[in-house]
Coordinates of all heavy atoms in Angstrom, one line a residue:
S7 N 4.2 5.9 -5.3 CA 4.2 6.0 -6.7 C 3.2 7.0 -7.2 O 3.5 7.9 -8.0 CB 3.9 4.6 -7.4 OG 3.9 4.7 -8.8
V11 N 3.8 10.8 -9.0 CA 3.1 11.2 -10.3 C 2.4 12.5 -10.1 O 2.6 13.4 -10.9 CB 2.2 10.1 -10.8 CG1 1.3 10.7 -12.0 CG2 2.9 8.9 -11.3
L16 N 2.2 18.3 -11.0 CA 2.1 19.6 -10.5 C 3.2 20.5 -10.9 O 3.0 21.7 -11.2 CB 2.0 19.6 -9.0 CG 0.6 19.4 -8.3 CD1 0.7 19.2 -6.8 CD2 -0.2 20.6 -8.6
A17 N 4.4 20.0 -10.8 CA 5.6 20.7 -11.2 C 5.7 21.1 -12.6 O 6.1 22.1 -13.1 CB 6.9 20.0 -10.7
V21 N -1.2 21.7 -12.7 CA -2.4 21.2 -12.4 C -2.3 19.6 -12.2 O -1.4 19.0 -12.7 CB -3.5 21.4 -13.4 CG1 -3.8 22.9 -13.5 CG2 -3.1 20.9 -14.8
C34 N 5.0 8.7 -25.3 CA 3.6 9.1 -25.0 C 2.7 7.9 -25.1 O 1.4 8.1 -25.0 CB 3.1 10.2 -25.8 SG 3.9 11.8 -25.5
L38 N 1.3 -0.1 -19.7 CA 0.4 -1.3 -19.5 C 0.2 -1.6 -18.0 O 1.0 -1.3 -17.2 CB 1.0 -2.5 -20.1 CG 1.3 -2.4 -21.6 CD1 2.0 -3.7 -22.1 CD2 0.0 -2.3 -22.4
I45 N 7.9 -0.7 -7.7 CA 9.2 -1.3 -7.5 C 9.5 -2.5 -8.4 O 10.5 -2.4 -9.1 CB 9.4 -1.7 -6.0 CG1 9.2 -0.4 -5.1 CG2 10.8 -2.3 -5.8 CD1 9.1 -0.8 -3.6
I49 N 12.3 -2.8 -11.7 CA 13.3 -3.8 -11.7 C 13.2 -4.7 -13.0 O 14.2 -4.9 -13.7 CB 13.3 -4.6 -10.5 CG1 13.7 -3.7 -9.3 CG2 14.3 -5.8 -10.6 CD1 13.4 -4.4 -7.9
F50 N 12.0 -5.2 -13.3 CA 11.8 -6.1 -14.4 C 12.1 -5.4 -15.8 O 12.6 -6.1 -16.7 CB 10.4 -6.7 -14.4 CG 10.2 -7.7 -13.3 CD1 9.0 -7.8 -12.6 CD2 11.2 -8.6 -12.9 CE1 8.8 -8.7 -11.6 CE2 11.0 -9.5 -11.9 CZ 9.8 -9.5 -11.2
L51 N 11.7 -4.1 -15.9 CA 11.9 -3.4 -17.1 C 13.3 -2.8 -17.2 O 13.6 -2.1 -18.1 CB 10.8 -2.3 -17.3 CG 9.4 -2.8 -17.5 CD1 8.4 -1.7 -17.5 CD2 9.3 -3.6 -18.8
G53 N 14.4 -0.3 -15.7 CA 14.3 1.2 -15.6 C 14.2 1.8 -17.0 O 14.6 2.9 -17.2
K65 N 14.2 8.5 -9.8 CA 13.5 9.2 -8.8 C 12.1 8.5 -8.6 O 11.6 8.4 -7.4 CB 13.2 10.7 -9.0 CG 12.3 11.0 -10.2 CD 12.1 12.4 -10.4 CE 11.2 12.7 -11.5 NZ 11.1 14.1 -11.9
F69 N 10.9 7.2 -5.0 CA 9.6 7.6 -4.4 C 8.8 6.4 -3.9 O 8.2 6.4 -2.9 CB 8.7 8.3 -5.4 CG 9.2 9.7 -5.8 CD1 8.8 10.3 -6.9 CD2 10.2 10.4 -5.0 CE1 9.3 11.6 -7.3 CE2 10.7 11.6 -5.4 CZ 10.2 12.2 -6.5
V72 N 10.6 4.8 -0.8 CA 10.4 5.6 0.4 C 8.9 5.5 0.9 O 8.6 5.4 2.1 CB 10.7 7.1 0.1 CG1 10.2 8.0 1.3 CG2 12.2 7.3 -0.1
L76 N 7.7 4.2 4.5 CA 6.8 5.1 5.4 C 5.6 4.2 5.8 O 5.2 4.3 6.9 CB 6.4 6.3 4.6 CG 7.4 7.4 4.5 CD1 6.9 8.5 3.6 CD2 7.9 8.0 5.8
M78 N 5.2 0.9 5.9 CA 5.6 -0.2 6.8 C 6.0 0.4 8.2 O 5.7 -0.2 9.2 CB 6.7 -1.0 6.2 CG 6.3 -1.8 5.0 SD 5.1 -3.0 5.4 CE 5.9 -4.1 6.4
N87 N -3.8 0.5 17.4 CA -5.2 0.9 17.2 C -5.3 1.2 15.7 O -4.7 2.1 15.1 CB -5.6 2.1 18.0 CG -7.1 2.5 17.8 OD1 -7.7 2.1 16.8 ND2 -7.5 3.3 18.7
I93 N -5.3 7.3 10.7 CA -5.1 8.8 10.8 C -3.6 9.2 10.6 O -3.3 10.1 9.9 CB -5.7 9.3 12.1 CG1 -7.2 9.1 12.1 CG2 -5.3 10.7 12.4 CD1 -7.9 9.3 13.4
Y102 N 4.4 13.6 3.0 CA 5.2 13.1 2.0 C 4.9 13.8 0.6 O 5.7 14.1 -0.1 CB 5.0 11.6 1.9 CG 5.9 10.9 0.9 CD1 7.3 11.0 1.0 CD2 5.4 10.1 -0.1 CE1 8.1 10.4 0.1 CE2 6.2 9.4 -1.0 CZ 7.6 9.6 -0.9 OH 8.4 9.0 -1.8
L103 N 3.6 13.9 0.4 CA 3.2 14.6 -0.9 C 3.6 16.0 -0.9 O 4.2 16.5 -2.0 CB 1.6 14.5 -1.0 CG 1.1 15.3 -2.3 CD1 1.7 14.7 -3.6 CD2 -0.4 15.2 -2.3

Side-chain angles (χ1 to χ4, degrees):
S7 178
V11 169
L16 270 174
V21 293
C34 295
L38 300 175
I45 302 170
I49 293 168
F50 291 140
L51 293 172
K65 72 180 177 183
F69 293 162
V72 170
L76 286 172
M78 290 301 291
N87 182 343
I93 292 169
Y102 185 55
L103 176 59

